[in-house]
Amino acid sequence: MGASAIATASTHEPPAPSTTAATATGTSTASEAIPVSDDDTADVITVETDGSGDFSSVQEAVDAAPAGATVRIGPGVYRGPVVVAASDLTLVGATGDPRDVVITDDRASGLPKPGGGTWGTSGSASVVISGDDVHSRDLTFENSFLREEHPEVTSTQAVAVRTTGDRLVFDNVRFLGHQDTLYANSPNTETTSRQYYRNCYVEGDVDFVFGRGTAVFHGCEIRSLDRGSDSDNGYVTAPSTPPEQEFGFLFTESCFTSDAPPESVYLGRPWVPSSDLDARPQALIRDSWMGRHFKEQGWIEMSSGHDWRQFQLREFANKGPGALNTPDRPQMSAEEAAGHTAEAYLAGSDGWNPVREPARPVCTARGR
């Protein structure tokens, strides 16, 4: 998504600001895990880098796992792309600390791929989850591509995770990247894919939460990386909600942090793909803490002819130095906000409700 620019990953951790939001750390082992199975006899497949588990490759373990199985991944860095096409599967880091288990690759949209051509945005993903009812917990998903190491590449979109499955849960998971980190998508414009992110950490600089999925970020830290500019350090969201889909992105009880200079980051920009010119992008940020890196003009168009004001890009009851109420930061009314809850976004026609209260404080700048 969007144009590239040189970015620098921040390693500084500002003090946690005061906030009433219940939120995430991604480094604690004390979180209340979301139940994934009532079957105590479910298969457990182990992965260890030293070969002491059932497999040493995450992909091999996923391919071998039967429905209902848990893939328990030992500490280490697992390099290479992973595709989770099977449904009803749990991926869990063995230590409970997501920093200990990293699944990573370093492809970017503009890098050449075997057989000719380039990877493209979708093909750049380190991890693809297309199966339904896949739960991930206590893991890090990363795209380690760095622009400064590839000055010859102009298309620098580099996805850490691309999702198209329904009823997906991510609990205490880190998503690391720069441009297009998390592609919260669906298989097509006619199919709604619901995704619940609890106690997670997502970082990036350009459009780093994007796609047409119905995604709820609950008690998460959303961290904008400093690209080295005094005035333009990117965009957080780029929703592309289909016109018949009721909901897009919801960020609730979360925290938006950055080391970037004040007023240098946009909340987002609507993505109207050439393949879906009828898209009606939606994003709501509510009951969250917002750092001073956000601009007074919260939203901006991505391409000409698609003015952000015609879409549902709004805020409600946020706090912090970046929670501004200006003509370019539309606020949702309390009456309407009553119907925009995590439960409402995820219910669908089957009444799915994975929602649990976040268990830990946020705004701890848990980055690289």
Side-chain angles (χ1 to χ4, degrees):
M1 302 293 308
S4 63
I6 297 298
T8 302
S10 171
T11 58
H12 301 293
E13 298 193 359
S18 173
T19 174
T20 57
T23 51
T25 72
T27 61
S28 169
T29 60
S31 66
E32 175 193 355
I34 298 173
V36 295
S37 176
D38 295 325
D39 182 4
D40 293 333
T41 65
D43 290 291
V44 176
I45 296 174
T46 59
V47 184
E48 299 288 349
T49 57
D50 62 4
S52 61
D54 297 316
F55 296 94
S56 57
S57 157
V58 175
Q59 186 66 69
E60 290 177 349
V62 166
D63 291 343
T70 293
V71 176
R72 182 170 294 141
I73 306 169
V77 177
Y78 297 84
R79 302 187 186 279
V82 174
V83 177
V84 183
S87 297
D88 192 14
L89 194 64
T90 298
L91 308 178
V92 59
T95 70
D97 186 336
R99 295 173 301 183
D100 293 339
V101 183
V102 180
I103 300 172
T104 184
D105 200 22
D106 62 354
R107 297 186 298 203
S109 175
L111 282 176
K113 64 179 180 179
T118 57
W119 286 108
T121 300
S122 292
S124 73
S126 299
V127 176
V128 177
I129 301 178
S130 57
D132 297 336
D133 299 297
V134 175
H135 292 209
S136 302
R137 187 170 70 241
D138 305 331
L139 297 168
T140 292
F141 297 124
E142 177 189 51
N143 191 311
S144 59
F145 173 84
L146 295 175
R147 300 182 184 106
E148 56 266 33
E149 294 181 357
H150 296 276
E152 79 284 2
V153 176
T154 56
S155 296
T156 59
Q157 298 90 336
V159 177
V161 173
R162 175 166 63 88
T163 61
T164 59
D166 189 27
R167 296 184 301 272
L168 304 182
V169 173
F170 299 88
D171 190 16
N172 196 29
V173 172
R174 300 194 310 160
F175 302 86
L176 307 183
H178 289 271
Q179 183 174 357
D180 290 8
T181 305
L182 177 55
Y183 194 173
N185 210 32
S186 65
N188 52 62
T189 57
E190 288 76 37
T191 303
T192 299
S193 291
R194 294 163 293 172
Q195 305 158 29
Y196 180 52
Y197 300 81
R198 173 183 178 266
N199 289 346
C200 290
Y201 171 90
V202 190
E203 73 173 25
D205 50 33
V206 175
D207 306 330
F208 62 96
V209 180
F210 75 109
R212 60 176 174 247
T214 294
V216 172
F217 298 84
H218 193 187
C220 295
E221 182 176 352
I222 312 299
R223 186 159 181 81
S224 294
L225 299 178
D226 185 353
R227 300 197 299 174
S229 171
D230 291 334
S231 60
D232 182 6
N233 284 293
Y235 325 85
V236 176
T237 66
S240 56
T241 319
E244 302 303 321
Q245 187 169 295
E246 186 174 8
F247 298 116
F249 293 165
L250 170 65
F251 299 84
T252 180
E253 296 183 285
S254 291
C255 186
F256 292 78
T257 67
S258 181
D259 281 342
E263 299 186 24
S264 65
V265 175
Y266 290 94
L267 297 175
R269 50 187 186 169
W271 179 28
V272 180
S274 58
S275 60
D276 183 19
L277 294 176
D278 295 325
R280 305 294 298 173
Q282 297 184 40
L284 169 63
I285 302 171
R286 62 171 299 169
D287 302 301
S288 295
W289 188 92
M290 308 185 80
R292 64 181 70 250
H293 55 295
F294 284 126
K295 291 175 174 282
E296 290 187 8
Q297 180 182 340
W299 310 91
I300 190 171
E301 68 180 26
M302 179 178 290
S303 54
S304 62
H306 300 292
D307 188 337
W308 67 267
R309 294 172 184 82
Q310 65 184 299
F311 305 116
Q312 296 184 42
L313 305 171
R314 292 176 289 178
E315 303 173 63
F316 175 75
N318 296 315
K319 301 183 184 303
L324 308 176
N325 191 340
T326 73
D328 291 323
R329 299 277 294 270
Q331 305 294 309
M332 181 177 283
S333 69
E335 181 180 7
E336 187 176 1
H340 285 256
T341 63
E343 291 84 355
Y345 272 57
L346 298 173
S349 60
D350 57 5
W352 187 52
N353 182 13
V355 177
R356 301 289 186 276
E357 277 303 305
R360 299 179 297 268
V362 77
C363 297
T364 53
R366 295 163 299 96
R368 298 176 186 275

